Coordinates of all heavy atoms in Angstrom, one line a residue:
M296 N -3.9 -5.2 23.0 CA -3.4 -6.4 22.3 C -2.7 -7.3 23.5 O -2.1 -6.9 24.3 CB -2.3 -6.0 21.4 CG -1.4 -7.2 20.9 SD 0.0 -6.8 20.0 CE 1.2 -6.4 21.2
T297 N -3.2 -8.6 23.4 CA -2.7 -9.5 24.3 C -1.4 -10.2 23.8 O -1.3 -10.6 22.5 CB -3.7 -10.7 24.6 OG1 -4.8 -10.0 25.1 CG2 -3.2 -11.7 25.5
Q298 N -0.3 -10.2 24.5 CA 0.9 -10.8 24.1 C 0.8 -12.3 24.0 O 0.4 -12.9 25.0 CB 2.1 -10.4 25.0 CG 3.4 -10.9 24.5 CD 4.5 -10.3 25.3 OE1 4.4 -9.5 26.1 NE2 5.7 -10.9 25.1
T299 N 1.2 -12.9 22.9 CA 1.1 -14.4 22.6 C 2.4 -15.0 22.2 O 2.4 -16.2 22.2 CB 0.0 -14.7 21.6 OG1 0.4 -14.0 20.3 CG2 -1.4 -14.2 22.0
V300 N 3.5 -14.2 22.0 CA 4.8 -14.6 21.7 C 5.7 -14.1 22.8 O 5.7 -12.9 23.0 CB 5.2 -14.2 20.3 CG1 6.6 -14.7 20.0 CG2 4.2 -14.8 19.3
F301 N 6.4 -15.0 23.5 CA 7.3 -14.6 24.5 C 8.7 -15.1 24.2 O 9.0 -16.2 23.9 CB 6.9 -15.1 25.8 CG 5.5 -14.7 26.3 CD1 4.4 -15.3 25.8 CD2 5.4 -13.6 27.1 CE1 3.1 -14.9 26.2 CE2 4.1 -13.1 27.5 CZ 3.0 -13.8 27.0
I302 N 9.7 -14.1 24.4 CA 11.1 -14.5 24.4 C 11.5 -15.1 25.7 O 11.3 -14.4 26.7 CB 12.0 -13.3 24.0 CG1 11.6 -12.8 22.7 CG2 13.5 -13.7 23.9 CD1 12.2 -11.4 22.4
L303 N 12.0 -16.3 25.6 CA 12.4 -17.0 26.9 C 13.8 -16.6 27.4 O 14.6 -16.3 26.6 CB 12.3 -18.5 26.7 CG 10.9 -19.0 26.4 CD1 11.0 -20.5 26.0 CD2 9.9 -18.8 27.5
P304 N 13.9 -16.6 28.7 CA 15.3 -16.1 29.3 C 16.4 -17.1 28.9 O 17.6 -16.7 29.0 CB 15.0 -16.2 30.8 CG 13.9 -17.1 31.0 CD 13.0 -16.9 29.7
E305 N 16.1 -18.2 28.3 CA 17.2 -19.1 27.9 C 17.9 -18.6 26.5 O 18.9 -19.2 26.1 CB 16.7 -20.6 27.7 CG 16.3 -21.2 29.0 CD 14.9 -20.9 29.5 OE1 14.2 -20.1 28.8 OE2 14.5 -21.3 30.6
S306 N 17.3 -17.7 25.9 CA 17.8 -17.1 24.7 C 19.2 -16.5 24.9 O 19.5 -16.1 26.0 CB 16.9 -16.0 24.2 OG 15.7 -16.6 23.8
N307 N 20.0 -16.5 23.9 CA 21.3 -15.9 23.9 C 21.6 -15.3 22.6 O 20.7 -15.3 21.7 CB 22.4 -16.9 24.4 CG 22.5 -18.1 23.5 OD1 22.4 -18.0 22.2 ND2 22.7 -19.3 24.1
E308 N 22.8 -14.9 22.3 CA 23.1 -14.1 21.0 C 23.0 -15.1 19.8 O 22.7 -14.5 18.8 CB 24.4 -13.4 21.1 CG 25.6 -14.3 21.2 CD 26.8 -13.6 21.2 OE1 26.9 -12.5 21.9 OE2 27.8 -14.0 20.5
T309 N 23.0 -16.4 20.0 CA 22.9 -17.2 18.8 C 21.6 -18.0 18.7 O 21.2 -18.4 17.6 CB 24.1 -18.3 18.8 OG1 24.0 -19.1 20.0 CG2 25.5 -17.6 18.7
T310 N 21.0 -18.1 19.9 CA 19.8 -18.9 19.9 C 18.5 -18.2 20.4 O 18.6 -17.7 21.5 CB 20.0 -20.2 20.8 OG1 21.2 -20.9 20.3 CG2 18.8 -21.2 20.8
L311 N 17.6 -18.2 19.6 CA 16.3 -17.5 20.1 C 15.4 -18.7 20.6 O 15.1 -19.6 19.9 CB 15.6 -16.8 18.9 CG 14.2 -16.2 19.1 CD1 14.3 -15.2 20.2 CD2 13.6 -15.7 17.9
C312 N 15.0 -18.5 21.9 CA 14.0 -19.4 22.5 C 12.7 -18.6 22.7 O 12.7 -17.6 23.4 CB 14.5 -19.9 23.8 SG 16.1 -20.8 23.7
I313 N 11.6 -19.1 22.1 CA 10.4 -18.4 22.2 C 9.3 -19.4 22.6 O 9.4 -20.6 22.5 CB 10.0 -17.8 20.8 CG1 9.9 -18.7 19.7 CG2 10.9 -16.7 20.5 CD1 9.4 -18.2 18.5
R314 N 8.2 -18.8 23.2 CA 7.0 -19.6 23.6 C 5.8 -19.0 22.9 O 5.6 -17.7 22.9 CB 6.9 -19.5 25.1 CG 5.6 -20.2 25.6 CD 5.7 -20.2 27.2 NE 5.6 -19.0 27.8 CZ 4.5 -18.3 28.2 NH1 3.3 -18.9 28.1 NH2 4.6 -17.2 28.8
Y315 N 5.0 -19.7 22.3 CA 3.8 -19.4 21.7 C 2.6 -19.8 22.7 O 2.6 -20.9 23.2 CB 3.5 -20.1 20.4 CG 4.4 -19.7 19.2 CD1 4.8 -20.6 18.3 CD2 4.7 -18.3 19.0 CE1 5.6 -20.2 17.3 CE2 5.6 -18.0 18.0 CZ 5.9 -18.9 17.1 OH 6.7 -18.5 16.0
T316 N 1.7 -18.9 22.8 CA 0.5 -19.2 23.6 C -0.8 -18.5 23.0 O -0.6 -17.6 22.2 CB 0.7 -18.7 25.1 OG1 -0.5 -19.1 25.8 CG2 0.8 -17.2 25.1
G317 N -1.9 -19.0 23.2 CA -3.1 -18.4 22.6 C -3.1 -18.5 21.1 O -2.5 -19.3 20.4
M318 N -3.7 -17.5 20.5 CA -3.8 -17.2 19.0 C -2.7 -16.2 18.7 O -2.8 -15.1 19.1 CB -5.1 -16.8 18.6 CG -6.2 -17.7 18.6 SD -6.1 -19.1 17.4 CE -6.4 -18.2 15.9
V319 N -1.7 -16.6 17.8 CA -0.6 -15.8 17.4 C -1.0 -14.9 16.2 O -1.4 -15.5 15.2 CB 0.6 -16.5 17.2 CG1 1.8 -15.6 16.7 CG2 1.1 -17.4 18.4
D320 N -0.9 -13.6 16.4 CA -1.3 -12.8 15.2 C 0.0 -12.1 14.7 O 1.1 -12.3 15.2 CB -2.3 -11.7 15.6 CG -1.8 -10.8 16.8 OD1 -0.5 -10.7 17.1 OD2 -2.6 -10.0 17.3
A321 N -0.1 -11.5 13.6 CA 1.0 -10.9 12.9 C 1.7 -9.9 13.7 O 2.9 -9.8 13.8 CB 0.6 -10.2 11.5
E322 N 1.1 -9.0 14.4 CA 1.7 -8.0 15.3 C 2.5 -8.7 16.3 O 3.7 -8.2 16.5 CB 0.6 -7.1 16.0 CG 1.2 -5.9 16.6 CD 0.2 -5.0 17.3 OE1 -1.0 -5.2 17.0 OE2 0.6 -4.2 18.1
N323 N 2.1 -9.7 17.1 CA 3.0 -10.3 18.1 C 4.1 -11.1 17.4 O 5.2 -10.9 17.9 CB 2.1 -11.3 18.8 CG 1.4 -10.8 20.0 OD1 2.0 -10.7 21.0 ND2 0.1 -10.4 19.9
Y324 N 3.8 -11.7 16.3 CA 4.9 -12.4 15.5 C 6.0 -11.5 15.1 O 7.1 -11.7 15.5 CB 4.3 -13.1 14.3 CG 5.3 -14.0 13.7 CD1 5.6 -15.2 14.2 CD2 5.9 -13.4 12.6 CE1 6.6 -15.9 13.5 CE2 6.9 -14.2 11.9 CZ 7.2 -15.4 12.4 OH 8.2 -16.2 11.8
H325 N 5.6 -10.4 14.5 CA 6.7 -9.4 14.1 C 7.4 -8.8 15.3 O 8.6 -8.7 15.2 CB 6.1 -8.3 13.2 CG 5.8 -8.8 11.8 ND1 6.8 -9.1 10.9 CD2 4.6 -9.0 11.2 CE1 6.3 -9.5 9.8 NE2 4.9 -9.5 9.9
R326 N 6.7 -8.4 16.3 CA 7.4 -7.7 17.3 C 8.3 -8.6 18.2 O 9.4 -8.2 18.6 CB 6.3 -7.1 18.3 CG 6.9 -6.4 19.4 CD 5.8 -5.7 20.3 NE 5.2 -4.6 19.6 CZ 4.1 -4.1 20.1 NH1 3.6 -4.5 21.1 NH2 3.5 -3.1 19.3
Y327 N 7.8 -9.8 18.5 CA 8.6 -10.6 19.5 C 9.3 -11.8 18.9 O 10.2 -12.4 19.5 CB 7.6 -11.2 20.5 CG 7.0 -10.1 21.3 CD1 5.6 -9.9 21.0 CD2 7.6 -9.3 22.2 CE1 4.9 -8.8 21.7 CE2 7.0 -8.3 22.9 CZ 5.6 -8.0 22.7 OH 5.0 -7.0 23.3
H328 N 9.1 -12.2 17.6 CA 9.8 -13.3 17.0 C 10.6 -12.8 15.8 O 11.8 -12.9 15.9 CB 8.7 -14.4 16.6 CG 9.2 -15.5 16.0 ND1 8.7 -16.8 16.0 CD2 10.5 -15.8 15.2 CE1 9.5 -17.7 15.4 NE2 10.5 -17.1 14.9
Y329 N 9.9 -12.2 14.8 CA 10.6 -11.9 13.5 C 11.8 -10.9 13.7 O 12.9 -11.1 13.3 CB 9.7 -11.4 12.5 CG 10.2 -11.1 11.2 CD1 10.6 -12.2 10.4 CD2 10.3 -9.8 10.7 CE1 11.2 -12.0 9.1 CE2 10.8 -9.6 9.4 CZ 11.2 -10.6 8.6 OH 11.7 -10.4 7.5
Q330 N 11.5 -9.9 14.5 CA 12.6 -8.8 14.8 C 13.8 -9.5 15.5 O 14.9 -9.2 15.1 CB 12.0 -7.6 15.6 CG 13.0 -6.5 15.6 CD 13.5 -6.0 14.3 OE1 12.6 -5.8 13.4 NE2 14.7 -5.9 14.0
E331 N 13.6 -10.4 16.4 CA 14.6 -11.1 17.0 C 15.5 -11.9 16.0 O 16.7 -12.0 16.1 CB 14.1 -12.0 18.2 CG 13.6 -11.1 19.4 CD 14.6 -10.5 20.1 OE1 15.7 -11.0 20.2 OE2 14.3 -9.4 20.6
L332 N 14.8 -12.6 15.0 CA 15.5 -13.4 14.0 C 16.4 -12.4 13.2 O 17.5 -12.7 13.0 CB 14.5 -14.1 13.2 CG 13.8 -15.3 13.8 CD1 12.9 -16.0 12.7 CD2 14.8 -16.3 14.4
L333 N 15.8 -11.3 12.9 CA 16.5 -10.4 12.0 C 17.8 -9.9 12.7 O 18.8 -9.7 12.2 CB 15.6 -9.2 11.6 CG 14.6 -9.5 10.6 CD1 13.7 -8.1 10.4 CD2 15.0 -10.0 9.3
D334 N 17.6 -9.6 14.0 CA 18.8 -9.1 14.8 C 19.9 -10.1 14.9 O 21.0 -9.8 14.6 CB 18.3 -8.8 16.2 CG 17.3 -7.4 16.3 OD1 17.4 -6.8 15.2 OD2 16.8 -7.3 17.3
R335 N 19.6 -11.4 15.1 CA 20.5 -12.5 15.1 C 21.2 -12.6 13.8 O 22.5 -12.8 13.7 CB 20.0 -13.7 15.7 CG 19.8 -13.7 17.3 CD 19.0 -14.8 17.8 NE 18.9 -14.8 19.1 CZ 18.1 -13.9 19.9 NH1 17.5 -13.0 19.2 NH2 18.1 -14.0 21.2
H336 N 20.4 -12.6 12.8 CA 21.0 -12.8 11.5 C 21.9 -11.7 11.0 O 23.0 -11.9 10.4 CB 19.8 -13.0 10.4 CG 20.3 -13.1 9.0 ND1 20.3 -12.1 8.1 CD2 20.9 -14.2 8.4 CE1 20.8 -12.5 7.0 NE2 21.2 -13.8 7.1
A337 N 21.5 -10.4 11.4 CA 22.3 -9.3 11.1 C 23.8 -9.3 11.7 O 24.7 -9.0 11.2 CB 21.6 -8.0 11.5
K338 N 23.7 -9.9 12.9 CA 25.0 -10.0 13.7 C 25.9 -11.2 13.2 O 27.1 -11.1 13.2 CB 24.7 -10.2 15.2 CG 24.2 -9.0 15.8 CD 24.0 -9.3 17.3 CE 23.3 -8.0 17.9 NZ 22.9 -8.4 19.4
L339 N 25.2 -12.4 12.9 CA 25.9 -13.6 12.7 C 25.8 -14.2 11.3 O 26.7 -15.0 10.9 CB 25.5 -14.7 13.7 CG 25.5 -14.4 15.3 CD1 24.7 -15.4 16.0 CD2 26.9 -14.4 15.6
G340 N 24.8 -13.8 10.7 CA 24.5 -14.4 9.3 C 23.7 -15.7 9.4 O 23.4 -16.4 8.4
W341 N 23.4 -16.1 10.6 CA 22.7 -17.4 10.9 C 21.9 -17.3 12.3 O 22.3 -16.3 13.0 CB 23.6 -18.6 10.9 CG 24.7 -18.5 11.8 CD1 25.9 -17.9 11.5 CD2 24.8 -19.0 13.2 NE1 26.7 -18.0 12.6 CE2 26.1 -18.7 13.6 CE3 24.0 -19.7 14.0 CZ2 26.6 -19.0 14.9 CZ3 24.4 -20.0 15.2 CH2 25.6 -19.6 15.7
F342 N 21.2 -18.2 12.7 CA 20.7 -18.3 14.1 C 20.2 -19.8 14.3 O 20.1 -20.6 13.5 CB 19.5 -17.4 14.2 CG 18.3 -17.7 13.3 CD1 17.3 -18.6 13.5 CD2 18.3 -17.1 12.0 CE1 16.3 -18.9 12.6 CE2 17.3 -17.3 11.0 CZ 16.3 -18.3 11.4
N343 N 20.0 -20.1 15.6 CA 19.4 -21.3 16.1 C 18.1 -20.9 16.7 O 18.0 -19.7 17.2 CB 20.3 -21.9 17.1 CG 21.6 -22.4 16.6 OD1 21.7 -23.0 15.5 ND2 22.7 -22.2 17.4
M344 N 17.2 -21.8 16.8 CA 15.9 -21.5 17.4 C 15.3 -22.6 18.1 O 15.2 -23.7 17.6 CB 14.9 -20.9 16.4 CG 13.7 -20.3 16.9 SD 12.7 -19.4 15.6 CE 12.4 -20.6 14.4
V345 N 14.7 -22.3 19.3 CA 13.8 -23.3 20.0 C 12.4 -22.7 20.1 O 12.3 -21.6 20.6 CB 14.4 -23.6 21.4 CG1 13.4 -24.5 22.2 CG2 15.8 -24.2 21.3
V346 N 11.4 -23.4 19.7 CA 10.1 -23.0 19.8 C 9.3 -23.9 20.8 O 9.2 -25.1 20.5 CB 9.3 -23.0 18.4 CG1 8.0 -22.5 18.5 CG2 10.1 -22.1 17.4
Y347 N 8.8 -23.3 21.8 CA 8.0 -24.0 22.8 C 6.5 -23.6 22.6 O 6.1 -22.5 22.7 CB 8.4 -23.7 24.2 CG 7.5 -24.2 25.2 CD1 7.5 -25.6 25.5 CD2 6.6 -23.5 26.0 CE1 6.7 -26.2 26.5 CE2 5.8 -24.0 26.9 CZ 5.9 -25.4 27.2 OH 5.0 -26.0 28.1
Y348 N 5.7 -24.6 22.3 CA 4.3 -24.4 22.1 C 3.6 -24.7 23.5 O 3.6 -25.9 23.9 CB 3.7 -25.4 21.1 CG 4.2 -25.1 19.7 CD1 5.3 -25.8 19.2 CD2 3.5 -24.2 18.9 CE1 5.9 -25.5 17.9 CE2 4.1 -23.9 17.6 CZ 5.2 -24.5 17.1 OH 5.7 -24.3 15.9
D349 N 3.1 -23.7 24.1 CA 2.4 -23.8 25.4 C 1.1 -24.7 25.2 O 0.6 -24.8 24.1 CB 2.0 -22.4 25.9 CG 1.9 -22.3 27.4 OD1 2.0 -23.3 28.0 OD2 1.9 -21.2 27.9
D350 N 0.7 -25.2 26.3 CA -0.5 -26.1 26.3 C -1.7 -25.4 25.8 O -2.6 -26.0 25.2 CB -0.8 -26.7 27.6 CG 0.3 -27.8 28.0 OD1 0.9 -28.4 27.0 OD2 0.4 -28.1 29.2
D351 N -1.7 -24.0 26.0 CA -2.9 -23.3 25.6 C -2.8 -22.6 24.2 O -3.5 -21.7 23.8 CB -3.4 -22.3 26.6 CG -2.4 -21.2 26.8 OD1 -1.2 -21.2 26.3 OD2 -2.7 -20.2 27.5
F352 N -1.7 -23.0 23.4 CA -1.5 -22.5 22.1 C -2.7 -22.9 21.2 O -3.0 -24.1 21.3 CB -0.2 -23.0 21.5 CG 0.0 -22.6 20.1 CD1 0.2 -21.3 19.7 CD2 0.0 -23.6 19.1 CE1 0.4 -21.1 18.4 CE2 0.2 -23.3 17.8 CZ 0.4 -22.0 17.4
E353 N -3.3 -22.0 20.6 CA -4.6 -22.3 19.8 C -4.3 -22.3 18.3 O -5.0 -22.9 17.5 CB -5.7 -21.3 20.2 CG -6.1 -21.3 21.5 CD -7.1 -20.2 21.8 OE1 -7.8 -19.8 20.9 OE2 -7.2 -19.7 22.9
G354 N -3.2 -21.7 17.9 CA -2.8 -21.6 16.5 C -2.6 -20.2 16.1 O -2.1 -19.4 16.9
W355 N -2.8 -19.9 14.8 CA -2.5 -18.7 14.1 C -3.7 -18.0 13.6 O -4.6 -18.6 13.1 CB -1.5 -18.9 13.0 CG -0.3 -19.6 13.3 CD1 -0.2 -21.0 13.4 CD2 1.0 -19.1 13.7 NE1 1.1 -21.3 13.8 CE2 1.9 -20.1 14.0 CE3 1.4 -17.8 13.8 CZ2 3.1 -19.9 14.3 CZ3 2.7 -17.5 14.2 CH2 3.5 -18.6 14.5
T356 N -3.7 -16.6 13.8 CA -4.8 -15.9 13.0 C -4.4 -15.9 11.6 O -3.2 -16.2 11.3 CB -4.8 -14.4 13.5 OG1 -3.5 -13.8 13.3 CG2 -5.2 -14.4 15.0
P357 N -5.2 -15.6 10.6 CA -4.8 -15.6 9.2 C -3.7 -14.7 8.9 O -2.7 -15.1 8.2 CB -6.1 -15.1 8.5 CG -7.2 -15.6 9.4 CD -6.7 -15.3 10.8
D358 N -3.6 -13.5 9.5 CA -2.4 -12.7 9.3 C -1.2 -13.1 10.0 O -0.1 -13.0 9.4 CB -2.8 -11.2 9.6 CG -3.0 -10.9 11.1 OD1 -3.4 -11.9 11.8 OD2 -2.7 -9.8 11.6
G359 N -1.3 -13.8 11.1 CA -0.2 -14.3 11.8 C 0.4 -15.6 11.1 O 1.6 -15.7 10.9
A360 N -0.5 -16.4 10.5 CA 0.0 -17.5 9.6 C 0.7 -17.0 8.5 O 1.8 -17.6 8.0 CB -1.2 -18.4 9.2
E361 N 0.2 -15.9 7.8 CA 0.9 -15.4 6.6 C 2.2 -14.8 6.9 O 3.3 -15.1 6.2 CB 0.0 -14.3 6.0 CG 0.6 -13.7 4.7 CD -0.3 -12.6 4.2 OE1 -1.4 -12.3 4.6 OE2 0.2 -12.0 3.1
A362 N 2.3 -14.1 8.1 CA 3.6 -13.6 8.5 C 4.6 -14.7 8.8 O 5.7 -14.6 8.5 CB 3.4 -12.7 9.8
N363 N 4.2 -15.7 9.5 CA 5.0 -16.9 9.8 C 5.5 -17.6 8.5 O 6.6 -17.8 8.3 CB 4.3 -17.9 10.6 CG 5.2 -19.0 11.1 OD1 6.3 -19.0 11.0 ND2 4.5 -20.1 11.5
F364 N 4.7 -17.7 7.6 CA 5.0 -18.4 6.3 C 6.0 -17.6 5.6 O 7.0 -18.1 5.0 CB 3.8 -18.8 5.5 CG 4.1 -19.3 4.2 CD1 4.5 -20.7 4.1 CD2 4.0 -18.6 3.0 CE1 4.7 -21.3 2.9 CE2 4.3 -19.2 1.7 CZ 4.7 -20.6 1.8
K365 N 5.7 -16.3 5.4 CA 6.6 -15.4 4.7 C 8.1 -15.4 5.4 O 9.1 -15.4 4.7 CB 6.1 -14.0 4.6 CG 5.0 -13.9 3.7 CD 4.5 -12.5 3.6 CE 3.4 -12.2 2.6 NZ 2.8 -10.9 2.6
S366 N 8.1 -15.3 6.7 CA 9.5 -15.3 7.3 C 10.2 -16.7 7.2 O 11.4 -16.6 7.1 CB 9.3 -15.0 8.8 OG 8.8 -15.9 9.6
M367 N 9.4 -17.8 7.1 CA 10.0 -19.1 7.0 C 10.7 -19.1 5.6 O 11.7 -19.6 5.4 CB 9.0 -20.2 7.2 CG 8.7 -20.4 8.6 SD 7.5 -21.8 9.0 CE 7.1 -22.6 7.4
C368 N 10.0 -18.6 4.6 CA 10.5 -18.5 3.2 C 11.7 -17.7 3.1 O 12.7 -18.0 2.5 CB 9.5 -18.1 2.3 SG 8.1 -19.2 2.0
E369 N 11.8 -16.5 3.9 CA 12.8 -15.6 3.8 C 14.0 -16.0 4.7 O 15.2 -15.9 4.3 CB 12.4 -14.2 4.3 CG 13.4 -13.2 4.4 CD 12.9 -11.9 5.0 OE1 11.7 -11.7 5.2 OE2 13.8 -11.1 5.4
M370 N 13.7 -16.5 5.9 CA 14.8 -16.7 6.9 C 15.1 -18.2 7.2 O 16.1 -18.5 7.8 CB 14.4 -16.0 8.2 CG 14.2 -14.6 8.2 SD 15.7 -13.6 7.7 CE 16.5 -13.8 9.2
G371 N 14.3 -19.1 6.6 CA 14.4 -20.5 7.0 C 15.8 -21.1 6.6 O 16.4 -21.8 7.4
S372 N 16.4 -20.7 5.5 CA 17.7 -21.2 5.2 C 18.8 -20.6 6.1 O 19.9 -21.2 5.9 CB 18.0 -20.8 3.7 OG 18.0 -19.4 3.5
K373 N 18.5 -19.6 6.8 CA 19.6 -19.1 7.7 C 19.6 -19.8 9.1 O 20.5 -19.5 9.9 CB 19.3 -17.6 8.0 CG 18.9 -16.7 6.8 CD 19.9 -16.7 5.8 CE 19.7 -15.6 4.7 NZ 19.1 -16.0 3.5
A374 N 18.7 -20.7 9.3 CA 18.7 -21.4 10.6 C 19.7 -22.6 10.6 O 19.7 -23.4 9.5 CB 17.2 -21.9 10.9
R375 N 20.5 -22.8 11.6 CA 21.3 -23.8 11.6 C 20.7 -25.0 12.4 O 20.8 -26.2 12.0 CB 22.6 -23.5 12.3 CG 23.5 -22.5 11.5 CD 24.9 -22.5 12.1 NE 25.8 -21.8 11.2 CZ 27.0 -21.4 11.5 NH1 27.5 -21.7 12.7 NH2 27.8 -20.7 10.7
K376 N 20.1 -24.7 13.5 CA 19.3 -25.7 14.3 C 18.0 -25.2 14.7 O 17.9 -24.0 15.1 CB 20.2 -26.1 15.5 CG 21.5 -26.7 15.2 CD 22.2 -27.1 16.4 CE 23.6 -27.7 16.1 NZ 24.4 -28.0 17.2
L377 N 17.0 -26.1 14.7 CA 15.7 -25.7 15.1 C 15.2 -26.8 16.0 O 15.4 -28.0 15.6 CB 14.7 -25.6 13.8 CG 15.0 -24.6 12.8 CD1 14.1 -24.8 11.6 CD2 14.7 -23.2 13.5
A378 N 14.5 -26.5 16.9 CA 13.9 -27.5 17.9 C 12.5 -27.0 18.3 O 12.3 -25.9 18.5 CB 14.7 -27.6 19.2
Y379 N 11.6 -27.9 18.3 CA 10.2 -27.7 18.6 C 9.8 -28.5 19.8 O 10.0 -29.7 19.9 CB 9.3 -28.1 17.4 CG 9.6 -27.3 16.2 CD1 10.3 -27.7 15.1 CD2 9.1 -26.0 16.0 CE1 10.6 -27.1 14.0 CE2 9.4 -25.3 14.9 CZ 10.1 -25.8 13.9 OH 10.4 -25.1 12.8
V380 N 9.3 -27.8 20.9 CA 8.9 -28.4 22.1 C 7.4 -28.4 22.2 O 6.7 -27.4 22.0 CB 9.6 -27.8 23.3 CG1 9.1 -28.5 24.6 CG2 11.1 -27.7 23.2
N381 N 6.8 -29.6 22.4 CA 5.4 -29.7 22.6 C 4.6 -29.3 21.3 O 3.6 -28.6 21.5 CB 4.9 -28.9 23.8 CG 3.5 -29.3 24.2 OD1 3.1 -30.4 24.1 ND2 2.8 -28.4 24.8
P382 N 5.1 -29.7 20.1 CA 4.4 -29.3 18.9 C 3.1 -30.0 18.7 O 2.8 -31.1 19.2 CB 5.4 -29.5 17.8 CG 6.1 -30.8 18.3 CD 6.2 -30.6 19.8
R383 N 2.2 -29.4 17.9 CA 0.9 -30.0 17.6 C 1.2 -31.1 16.6 O 2.2 -31.1 15.8 CB -0.1 -29.0 17.0 CG -0.4 -27.8 17.9 CD -1.0 -28.4 19.2 NE -1.3 -27.4 20.2 CZ -0.6 -27.1 21.3 NH1 0.6 -27.8 21.6 NH2 -0.9 -26.2 22.1
E384 N 0.3 -32.0 16.5 CA 0.5 -33.2 15.6 C 0.7 -32.8 14.1 O 1.5 -33.3 13.4 CB -0.9 -34.1 15.6 CG -0.8 -35.4 14.8 CD 0.3 -36.3 15.4 OE1 0.6 -36.3 16.7 OE2 0.9 -37.0 14.6
R385 N 0.0 -31.7 13.7 CA 0.2 -31.4 12.2 C 1.5 -30.7 12.0 O 2.1 -30.8 10.9 CB -0.9 -30.3 11.9 CG -0.9 -29.1 12.6 CD -2.1 -28.2 12.1 NE -2.3 -27.1 13.1 CZ -3.3 -26.9 13.9 NH1 -4.4 -27.7 13.7 NH2 -3.4 -25.9 14.6
K386 N 2.2 -30.1 13.1 CA 3.6 -29.6 12.9 C 4.6 -30.8 12.8 O 5.4 -30.8 12.0 CB 3.9 -28.8 14.1 CG 5.3 -28.2 14.1 CD 5.3 -27.1 13.0 CE 6.6 -26.3 13.1 NZ 6.6 -25.3 12.0
I387 N 4.3 -31.9 13.6 CA 5.1 -33.1 13.5 C 5.0 -33.6 12.1 O 6.0 -34.0 11.4 CB 4.6 -34.1 14.5 CG1 5.0 -33.6 15.8 CG2 5.4 -35.5 14.3 CD1 4.4 -34.4 17.0
L388 N 3.8 -33.8 11.5 CA 3.6 -34.3 10.1 C 4.3 -33.3 9.1 O 4.9 -33.9 8.2 CB 2.1 -34.4 9.8 CG 1.4 -35.5 10.6 CD1 -0.2 -35.5 10.3 CD2 1.9 -36.9 10.3
L389 N 4.2 -32.1 9.3 CA 4.9 -31.1 8.3 C 6.4 -31.4 8.3 O 7.0 -31.3 7.3 CB 4.5 -29.7 8.7 CG 5.1 -28.6 7.9 CD1 4.6 -28.6 6.6 CD2 4.9 -27.2 8.6
M390 N 6.9 -31.5 9.5 CA 8.4 -31.6 9.6 C 8.9 -32.9 9.0 O 10.0 -33.1 8.6 CB 8.9 -31.5 11.1 CG 8.6 -30.1 11.7 SD 9.0 -28.7 10.6 CE 10.8 -28.8 10.6
K391 N 8.1 -33.9 9.0 CA 8.5 -35.2 8.5 C 8.6 -35.1 7.0 O 9.2 -35.8 6.3 CB 7.4 -36.4 8.9 CG 7.6 -36.8 10.3 CD 6.6 -37.9 10.6 CE 6.7 -38.3 12.0 NZ 5.9 -39.4 12.4

C-alpha cells in the first residue's frame, strides 16, 4: 500500500493538518485521517482541520470517496474551523 494521506508536523491537539497526494483510498483515509479526527473529538468534543492538496493529488478511489463522505456526515458538525489549501476547482464550487 502506498501512503497517500500524511499528517503534517503543524498538527497539534486541536488542529489536524493533513496532506493528500495521489489517489486516496479508504484504508489510507481511515488510518491517517479519520482516526485522528476521532481522537481529537474524543478529547475535546470538536476539532479544527487544515487540508493541503498536493499538486499530484489525483482524487479518490470509489471506496475512499465513500469513506470521506460518511465521515463528513458523521463528524462535519464537530469541526469548528476548516481550511483547504490548493483545492481543486470542484472543491471550491462545492464549498460555495
